[in-house]
């Protein structure tokens, strides 16, 4: 198939956080309260921005809605977004404020051990600001919202949104913001911990995952893609439920994997043949996430529509209907 071409009349809005990621990965197991030799990287992140970057690399036309300060790092981040083809004209720029930052420490295997986020600037995206860019949201083909947005802003956006809404809860702490407005949401992509919070269930077995997915669908969500860690992903709607195996990868850093999976679900739903297929979207999520964890950076710069599609078509992921 030919590489995907952007359509100026069709675009996806991403509403969420954008920040500067500062991360460290030690060469050996972490020693608490000590200096650990390792690698440190500074990249652009934020769940919403990460999703937007991955979608832009996949060939989708993306409009980013977030908030940044007047600092150099924030300005450079927006220039980077523009270089990828994103439209950042709806980004809220706030004088005399610093842009969001996210500081994380991985273990020697690349899995996050702890993190600190300084992201309160995203609270400046208020319902009033959403009203000021209402036409942008109303004209979207799809709207992706991350849990960093306040509950009030999320619920207000939902009332004016005409397109399918995709939600990434971000974390258990932030899931509280989206839980009251799940009825009518098109797609939700939680991990196990987020699903436990949203449903009030303990999830340990496959039967638990099935029960949690069913409970989320009963909240009014059309589709749920539930990350199962090394066991893959459960994809479900009211008529079907599948488990799709994890895509093999040499893990370097897991930060950003969930964001890329969300982006791939949107991409598969809008720009890949058999668009409404749960299996296709879940496979795409696992394939793109595998590309992300294989690099140190939060986003894999090799990602593209063509490469992702080739890997999707040639993937040998196991699909099991349950």
């Amino acid at each position: 198939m030919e590489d995907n071409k952007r359509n100026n009349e069709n675009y996806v809005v991403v509403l969420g956080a954008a920040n500067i990621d500062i991360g460290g990965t030690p060469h050996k197991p972490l020693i608490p309260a000590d200096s650990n030799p390792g690698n440190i990287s500074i990249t652009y992140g934020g769940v919403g921005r990460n999703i937007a970057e991955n979608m832009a690399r996949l060939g989708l036309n993306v409009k980013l809605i977030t908030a940044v300060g007047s600092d150099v790092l924030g300005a450079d981040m927006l220039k980077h977004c523009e270089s990828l083809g994103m439209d950042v004209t709806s980004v809220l720029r706030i004088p005399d404020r610093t842009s969001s930052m996210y500081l994380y420490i991985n273990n020697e295997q690349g899995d996050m051990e702890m993190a600190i986020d300084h992201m309160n600037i995203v609270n400046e995206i208020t319902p009033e600001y959403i009203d000021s860019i209402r036409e942008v949201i109303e004209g979207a083909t799809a709207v992706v919202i991350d849990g960093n947005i306040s509950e009030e802003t999320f619920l207000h956006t939902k009332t004016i949104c005409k397109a399918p809404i995709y939600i990434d809860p971000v974390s258990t702490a932030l899931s509280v913001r989206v839980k009251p407005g799940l009825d009518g949401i098109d797609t939700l992509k939680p991990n196990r911990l987020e699903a436990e919070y949203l449903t009030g269930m303990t999830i340990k077995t496959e039967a638990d995952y099935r029960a949690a997915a069913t409970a989320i669908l009963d909240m009014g969500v059309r589709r749920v893609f539930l990350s199962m860690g090394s066991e893959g992903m459960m994809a479900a709607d009211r008529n079907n439920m599948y488990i799709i195996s994890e895509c093999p990868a040499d893990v370097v850093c897991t930060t950003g994997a969930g964001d890329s999976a969300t982006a791939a679900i949107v991409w598969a739903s809008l720009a890949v043949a058999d668009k409404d297929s749960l299996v296709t979207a879940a496979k795409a999520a696992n394939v793109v996430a595998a590309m992300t964890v294989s690099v140190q950076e939060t986003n894999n710069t090799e990602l593209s529509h063509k490469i992702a599609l080739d890997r999707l078509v040639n993937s040998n992921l196991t699909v099991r209907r349950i």
Side-chain angles (χ1 to χ4, degrees), residues 72-150:
V72 173
L73 288 174
D76 287 345
M77 178 168 58
L78 292 186
K79 288 180 182 177
H80 173 72
C81 292
E82 287 183 306
S83 73
L84 296 171
M86 282 187 235
D87 184 336
V88 298
T89 56
S90 296
V91 171
L92 175 62
R93 296 164 172 83
I94 306 175
D96 302 320
R97 292 284 296 277
T98 57
S99 298
S100 294
M101 293 190 181
Y102 178 69
L103 175 67
Y104 65 91
I105 297 176
N106 293 329
N107 60 27
E108 77 281 6
Q109 297 176 331
D111 292 320
M112 187 186 72
E113 288 287 326
M114 64 185 70
I116 299 174
D117 65 72
H118 177 69
M119 302 172 63
N120 57 341
I121 195 171
V122 76
N123 293 328
E124 299 298 328
I125 302 177
T126 61
E128 291 74 22
Y129 185 71
I130 293 298
D131 280 337
S132 73
I133 54 171
R134 186 185 188 109
E135 291 184 358
V136 174
I137 294 172
E138 289 180 334
T141 301
V143 174
V144 184
I145 300 176
D146 84 35
N148 288 291
I149 299 301
S150 71

Side-chain angles (χ1 to χ4, degrees), residues 141-212:
T141 301
V143 174
V144 184
I145 300 176
D146 84 35
N148 288 291
I149 299 301
S150 71
E151 178 182 330
E152 182 182 19
T153 298
F154 161 56
L155 293 175
H156 182 67
T157 303
K158 184 183 172 187
T159 64
I160 67 173
C161 187
K162 299 178 179 179
I165 297 177
Y166 296 70
I167 294 181
D168 190 315
V170 177
S171 69
T172 54
L174 296 176
S175 294
V176 64
R177 299 182 179 182
V178 300
K179 187 175 181 179
L182 291 180
D183 185 31
I185 294 301
D186 184 271
T187 302
L188 182 74
K189 191 207 70 62
N191 61 24
R192 178 181 63 82
L193 293 176
E194 293 158 0
E196 285 186 334
Y197 171 80
L198 291 170
T199 63
M201 300 176 178
T202 298
I203 303 175
K204 293 183 178 180
T205 66
E206 181 179 306
D208 295 336
Y209 276 103
R210 292 179 63 180

